[in-house]
Amino acid sequence: MTGRRPFPFGAVVGHDDAKLALRLAALDPLIGGVLLRGQKGSAKTTLARGLAAELGDAPFVELPLGASEDRVVGTLDTRAALTGGEVRFQPGLLAAADGGVLYVDEINLLADHLVDVLLDVAVSGENIVERDAVSHRHPARFVLVGSMNPEEGELRPQLLDRFGLCVNVVAPASVSDRVEAVRRRLAFDAGEPLGGEDRPEDWLPGDRTPAIEADVLEAAAHLALDVGAEGLRADLTLCRAAAALARAERRPAVGLDDLRRVAPLVLAHRSRRGPFDPPVLPPDELRRSIEEALDPPDEADGPDPDGGPDADGDTDPGGAAGDRSMGLGAMRRPPVPPSGADVSSGRGRVVGDRPAGPTDAVAVVPTVRNLAARRAGAVGAGLAADDLRAAVRRTRRRRTIVLCVDLSGSMGAPERAGAASGTVLGLLTSAYEERQAVALVTFRGDEATTVLSPTTSVEIARNRLDGLVTGGATPLAAGLAQALAVAERATGDDADALVVVLTDGRATGDHGLDEALAIAGRIAASPIDALVLDCETGTVRLGMAAQLADAMGARCVEVTSLEPSIVVSAIARHVGAS
């Protein structure tokens, strides 16, 4: 942090929810940190820096996206090991943030295992290191603040749920607020008094813990259940946040109004979402759930015994999508490690070390540790080739699903367009956990188009999928070639791709089918997995999709319904069987 005073927290115009969330997390670190979601330039970093200053000029540590695990948690002090053979701990960023704010911009782009570490330490208040011959623990009590732009991809649900509070941060929309924000910034830069600031002592009271009565505990449970929050983390965070609010306002007990005020910060990112819902519950829907839970109608609790069937009841997606054939090429394909599985990689978290080969990058800490152990006090012993160690790294395998959809003017084109949009959103939502990316290639007329490049962001997909155009001829070969090109760019040592073709197998042009089968042969010869979803309709079936699947070395699954959930289910079953 530079020596210049940060912009005052209380002088930031608007953003009342974000300020409240940050203050509550500062009052009770067990809340588990704050996630600020919003576009660039919406004052997320300014708020985080200002909070550290408001906590009595506490440390403000910004974690860079490229930071290694050693830099974050701490590691062996190589200087001490080399000069005196001493095993000593060298603190990392977690130690530097003790007593202040640890800020991670674009936390959605940070490696998952590092986010796990940050969240664990933020809640426990202690960093425990057991690695590289170092066994050390130290206090690390800080307010974890993560910020992200949703258009760049979402956090996995497991990580999103572990953030105590989540706020959508939006730049002021009114002219007067924008003018005031700029005026204050210019005045601050010129060293002039700002106005609009508040005093930290107004919300930093003593260590008095307000009482939480049974009615508040019961209301918190109703709220969590009403939005479909999984587990008990939502209930607990609701109570902690409400208690922190009452404490900030110096009230001896927590009331339902406290619960009402903190509920949007606690629950928006914890709703149990369907495959086509946005990652954060819309404000109107959340507000409605809060009102219904805190002001329920006078009726008996419990489910209606005569209610409708369970959403996961007797309907079997397999009834609408059945495996018709499997090409011989599909049977020859080597098994693909599941997406999300740990695989050896040149990047990722360090899980050990091994003797370094001639072309390996030398891992400094294990090498120094090896040298120190061999020297064992023998002053002057130099570095030998046998001392050199290389890191063994593991990372989560990534998968890109390339959906290739026929949008030509044949029968059912509008339904295929709807299926394409819904399927992409469904795949993205269900793919959070496995960190899968999704791309969309469409073909119609005389060309194929990459409508959506590989992404993990539902927000980006929603923006790209509006108004898909149908009609024209069926350039199947162009669609397959485009999908293959997208898939090839997405594959690597720790990444694979799946091409899913939604078609009836028809192709236009004198050599349309022959050209398509030739491209299909290229897919079969590649390491890229493939699946054909046969959407042919009519009483007389030509079986051209099955012929295409054979050429691709792919499974062919008959899809008699283009309902997106059915298509997503068919793809998910294929991925699970790979």
Side-chain angles (χ1 to χ4, degrees):
M1 180 175 176
T2 63
R4 184 176 180 182
R5 183 172 70 99
F7 191 84
F9 184 85
V12 175
V13 175
H15 300 309
D16 293 338
D17 284 347
K19 291 177 186 176
L20 176 61
L22 291 167
R23 285 170 168 166
L24 296 179
L27 284 168
D28 185 358
L30 291 178
I31 286 174
V34 179
L35 180 63
L36 304 176
R37 302 172 81 255
Q39 296 177 336
K40 295 183 181 297
S42 52
K44 300 186 296 292
T45 305
T46 300
L47 287 166
R49 286 185 180 275
L51 177 67
E54 192 152 294
L55 293 174
D57 289 322
F60 178 84
V61 176
E62 188 164 358
L63 191 151
L65 285 179
S68 66
E69 189 171 359
D70 288 346
R71 181 74 183 96
V72 174
V73 304
T75 186
L76 177 70
D77 186 331
T78 55
R79 179 184 294 273
L82 285 172
T83 57
E86 181 182 358
V87 177
R88 181 189 300 170
F89 180 71
Q90 180 175 324
L93 295 176
L94 295 181
D98 186 35
V101 174
L102 179 62
Y103 177 65
V104 188
D105 191 18
E106 297 181 319
I107 194 169
N108 51 321
L109 305 182
L110 189 67
D112 286 348
H113 70 281
L114 289 181
V115 180
D116 277 325
V117 169
L118 296 179
L119 289 165
D120 284 340
V121 177
V123 172
S124 69
E126 185 177 44
N127 181 34
I128 302 173
V129 182
E130 299 281 352
R131 55 182 295 183
D132 294 328
V134 172
S135 178
H136 185 82
R137 62 177 62 203
H138 65 80
R141 299 187 178 277
F142 51 79
V143 181
L144 175 62
V145 182
S147 68
M148 57 175 284
N149 183 346
E151 291 191 350
E152 295 172 344
E154 293 286 350
L155 281 171
R156 290 189 294 125
Q158 294 88 339
L159 298 178
L160 187 63
D161 176 66
R162 290 183 61 195
F163 270 96
L165 308 175
C166 177
V167 186
N168 279 329
V169 181
V170 181
S174 74
V175 172
S176 60
D177 284 346
R178 296 175 76 94
V179 168
E180 179 62 14
V182 172
R183 185 198 69 76
R184 291 186 188 182
R185 182 75 235 188
L186 294 175
F188 174 78
D189 292 341
E192 300 172 4
L194 298 182
E197 298 184 54
D198 49 14
R199 301 175 303 170
E201 56 267 26
D202 290 339
W203 64 274
L204 284 174
D207 293 330
R208 176 175 42 81
T209 302
I212 304 178
E213 303 297 340
D215 63 329
V216 175
L217 295 175
E218 185 175 346
H222 276 295
L223 270 173
L225 288 171
D226 199 58
V227 301
E230 297 180 348
L232 292 174
R233 186 172 285 129
D235 309 54
L236 191 57
T237 307
L238 277 168
C239 294
R240 282 179 171 151
L245 177 58
R247 179 182 164 200
E249 297 181 351
R250 293 174 169 80
R251 285 182 278 103
V254 179
L256 292 180
D257 282 343
D258 296 314
L259 211 55
R260 194 186 307 274
R261 287 171 63 186
V262 303
L265 311 177
V266 176
L267 297 176
H269 60 302
R270 287 194 166 94
S271 61
R272 183 184 292 120
R273 299 176 294 275
F276 312 115
D277 294 330
V280 175
L281 204 63
D284 290 344
E285 186 177 340
L286 178 60
R287 193 178 304 112
R288 193 160 50 247
S289 293
I290 293 172
E291 293 305 322
E292 290 174 358
L294 295 182
D295 300 306
D298 294 331
E299 58 183 27
D301 290 334
D304 180 1
D306 298 322
D310 191 329
D312 297 323
D314 297 332
T315 300
D316 178 12
D323 205 344
R324 290 187 56 200
S325 66
M326 179 186 291
L328 295 178
M331 300 174 66
R332 292 195 301 266
R333 289 182 184 276
V336 177
S339 176
D342 278 357
V343 293
S344 296
S345 171
R347 57 186 179 182
R349 71 183 187 279
V350 177
V351 297
D353 57 85
R354 56 176 175 77
T359 61
D360 287 327
V362 175
V364 176
V365 172
T367 298
V368 171
R369 183 192 63 218
N370 226 33
L371 173 62
R374 182 176 62 79
R375 286 174 60 174
V379 178
L383 183 68
D386 290 344
D387 294 322
L388 300 178
R389 309 290 292 179
V392 176
R393 297 178 181 271
R394 304 282 288 181
T395 190
R396 291 173 62 87
R397 187 173 189 86
R398 296 173 292 113
R399 170 170 291 148
T400 298
I401 299 176
V402 182
L403 188 63
C404 181
V405 181
D406 175 8
L407 293 187
S408 66
S410 58
M411 186 178 298
E415 288 79 6
R416 286 197 301 274
S421 299
T423 299
V424 167
L425 296 176
L427 288 171
L428 281 172
T429 303
S430 62
Y432 284 157
E433 181 176 351
E434 303 300 340
R435 275 311 212 190
Q436 292 174 343
V438 180
L440 175 63
V441 170
T442 62
F443 55 96
R444 59 175 292 275
D446 57 1
E447 63 179 2
T449 304
T450 301
V451 176
L452 180 69
S453 296
T455 182
T456 60
S457 172
V458 173
E459 299 296 330
I460 290 178
R462 287 183 187 278
N463 293 336
R464 299 283 195 279
L465 295 176
D466 284 342
L468 292 179
V469 179
T470 62
T474 312
L476 178 58
L480 295 177
Q482 187 86 343
L484 175 59
V486 172
E488 286 176 335
R489 288 194 295 269
T491 55
D493 292 339
D494 57 0
D496 58 68
L498 165 66
V499 171
V500 179
V501 186
L502 183 63
T503 181
D504 57 12
R506 291 182 174 86
T508 55
D510 293 339
H511 306 287
L513 183 58
D514 291 340
E515 292 176 359
L517 294 177
I519 303 296
R522 287 171 49 192
I523 295 175
S526 76
I528 294 167
D529 195 11
L531 172 67
V532 173
L533 299 180
D534 181 3
C535 59
E536 184 178 15
T537 58
T539 54
V540 179
R541 305 185 66 89
L542 302 179
M544 299 176 71
Q547 182 182 355
L548 177 68
D550 280 338
M552 291 174 66
R555 285 187 177 91
C556 182
V557 177
E558 181 181 325
V559 180
T560 57
S561 169
L562 290 179
E563 176 66 31
S565 61
I566 300 296
V567 180
V568 169
S569 178
I571 297 171
R573 286 201 304 277
H574 173 82
V575 170
S578 296

